[in-house]
Amino acid sequence: MKRNLFLFLIICLLTAHDLHGQSPGPSTTEMYNSQRKCRKQCEYVFNEIYNNGKILIKKRLIILYDYSNHYNKKLNKCFMLITENSVFGKKRILTDVNEDVIYGTVRVNKNNQVVACFLLEERCRFEEEWNKLVRPYMEE
């Protein structure tokens, strides 16, 4: 009886954990639903806050917005990368959409000089540095 219970516990542990001791990841259906939910949430935020990508000032279009979204399965978070283009330069913002938290931003003036650059506690001097810092959030 003890042997059967012991085997049952071992089987349960092996099916609940992979060889590295980590819990199995989400199923394909769960991943698809998380990605879809993330995409829908970003679309809603973009349309509501960023006027579907266009800001009109005195009947002239001077600021254009664009975005990309990504559900990061490792962090279980929905990220939105917003890009603002205007006559003044370019700004990019990485945000956690569900928690409404800005992770970082890079601002480049019209002369292509970085005037602000950070991601969480990391500071950067070049846009390429910022892109490297953002990559794990938008690709995993």
Side-chain angles (χ1 to χ4, degrees):
M1 179 73 158
K2 286 183 184 180
R3 185 172 189 255
N4 288 343
L5 180 59
F6 178 75
L7 288 173
F8 175 75
L9 290 174
I10 294 230
I11 290 169
C12 288
L13 288 173
L14 288 176
T15 56
H17 292 79
D18 65 16
L19 295 175
H20 300 291
Q22 298 172 346
S23 298
S27 71
T28 304
T29 303
E30 290 170 331
M31 276 298 299
Y32 174 77
N33 288 337
S34 296
Q35 290 168 349
R36 186 173 54 82
K37 184 178 176 184
C38 178
R39 185 180 68 247
K40 292 279 189 191
Q41 183 67 16
C42 289
E43 184 179 313
Y44 173 79
V45 168
F46 186 72
N47 290 336
E48 290 296 311
I49 295 176
Y50 294 96
N51 192 31
N52 201 22
K54 301 170 191 154
I55 302 293
L56 298 170
I57 297 179
K58 294 185 181 180
K59 296 185 181 183
R60 285 187 265 170
L61 181 67
I62 68 161
I63 301 174
L64 291 174
Y65 290 97
D66 196 7
Y67 79 97
S68 59
N69 66 277
H70 179 69
Y71 171 72
N72 186 304
K73 65 182 176 182
K74 184 177 179 181
L75 299 173
N76 190 27
K77 292 186 180 284
C78 178
F79 290 103
M80 183 173 182
L81 184 59
I82 304 152
T83 303
E84 173 189 302
N85 288 298
S86 73
V87 294
F88 307 111
K90 177 173 72 171
K91 179 169 81 171
R92 294 169 66 204
I93 303 165
L94 179 67
T95 183
D96 176 335
V97 174
N98 293 327
E99 294 184 20
D100 195 24
V101 174
I102 293 176
Y103 274 50
T105 188
V106 61
R107 186 184 304 249
V108 180
N109 66 20
K110 64 182 178 181
N111 298 324
N112 229 14
Q113 298 169 321
V114 173
V115 293
C117 188
F118 72 92
L119 186 74
L120 298 174
E121 301 297 320
E122 297 280 333
R123 302 285 176 219
C124 41
R125 297 181 323 185
F126 304 103
E127 190 172 8
E128 295 80 22
E129 286 179 272
W130 195 79
N131 291 337
K132 286 180 185 176
L133 293 171
V134 167
R135 193 169 291 125
Y137 296 92
M138 293 299 290
E139 290 182 359
E140 293 184 14

